[in-house]
Amino acid sequence: YGDPTAAAKFWRHQQYDDCSIMSAADVIGQVTGHEPSEHAIIKKAQNTPSASHSGSIYIKPADKNDPNAGMGTMMTDLPTLLKEYNVNAVISNKDITAKTGVPAGIEGLEQLLSGGRKVIISVNAEMIWHKPIENKDKNGNPRSDHAVVVTGIDTANNVVHLNDSGTEKGRDEQIPMALFMQSWNTSNQL
């Protein structure tokens, strides 16, 4: 399902805490053929009011030596940002699939990808990067903290293909399906 090879050319490694908007830039490139640069999409996000909180969609890090010194971007703001590039989007998770009409689970991703749709999801980064999990909820459970683009699902090999701007090896990053599901479930399949 999907075309990870074609999508791979739209991957870029992020320079700031901007995985959500870099995922949006990737999708914009896949849909329109014209991917905005990191600088251009940051500028657009800084000048677009958030639908989720006061202020803009993205606030660049205050300390340029610490890429995590900013606020990042809420996943709920991605449809607003994508609309600025004439790309329609719906935000959904497994609890509101009936309301949004967006299918849930791995089968839902397969359906979306086979229909030519582009998919941005929220995962726990440390989990897919095989690093100690730092971002946890009050009960000690891993929490989602990273956005990626799902570009393909290989059911024969139980592998999910991602464009992951958060790692230098993120172009067509391939994750075992079980690990992918574990990491995606940290966001309630957002």
Side-chain angles (χ1 to χ4, degrees):
Y1 301 91
D3 190 347
T5 302
K9 73 179 184 177
F10 296 103
W11 172 87
R12 301 289 177 270
H13 185 240
Q14 69 191 53
Q15 302 304 307
Y16 301 100
D17 183 17
D18 60 353
C19 58
S20 294
I21 63 175
M22 287 301 287
S23 292
D26 185 312
V27 164
I28 292 161
Q30 289 184 55
V31 171
T32 69
H34 303 287
E35 179 184 18
S37 69
E38 184 173 25
H39 176 74
I41 200 163
I42 284 174
K43 188 171 182 176
K44 177 74 79 175
Q46 287 176 315
N47 291 307
T48 304
S50 169
S52 305
H53 56 79
S54 62
S56 68
I57 288 176
Y58 179 74
I59 298 173
K60 200 170 178 180
D63 178 357
K64 60 184 183 178
N65 294 320
D66 179 5
N68 297 313
M71 288 181 48
T73 299
M74 303 284 294
M75 289 286 285
T76 51
D77 275 330
L78 290 185
T80 302
L81 181 59
L82 288 163
K83 190 173 184 175
E84 292 288 315
Y85 291 90
N86 297 314
V87 174
N88 292 322
V90 175
I91 192 156
S92 190
N93 67 36
K94 69 180 182 180
D95 291 340
I96 60 172
T97 188
K99 179 180 171 187
T100 63
V102 176
I106 199 74
E107 296 83 10
L109 290 178
E110 292 168 358
Q111 183 181 344
L112 292 167
L113 292 169
S114 67
R117 299 282 168 76
K118 310 308 174 206
V119 182
I120 300 171
I121 63 160
S122 183
V123 296
N124 178 278
E126 296 87 9
M127 206 176 276
I128 63 173
W129 297 339
H130 307 286
K131 295 191 177 214
I133 297 173
E134 297 175 8
N135 199 344
K136 298 179 182 180
D137 65 18
K138 64 183 177 189
N139 296 319
N141 298 312
R143 188 169 45 194
S144 68
D145 58 4
H146 187 52
V148 297
V149 180
V150 178
T151 61
I153 299 174
D154 178 352
T155 54
N157 294 302
N158 287 319
V159 169
V160 177
H161 294 256
L162 308 174
N163 273 355
D164 180 353
S165 65
T167 177
E168 291 180 3
K169 297 177 182 179
R171 182 186 311 268
D172 192 21
E173 181 178 28
Q174 297 174 35
I175 306 294
M177 192 163 316
L179 177 60
F180 168 80
M181 290 303 298
Q182 184 182 13
S183 181
W184 187 30
N185 282 331
T186 65
S187 71
N188 200 30
Q189 296 183 6
L190 178 66

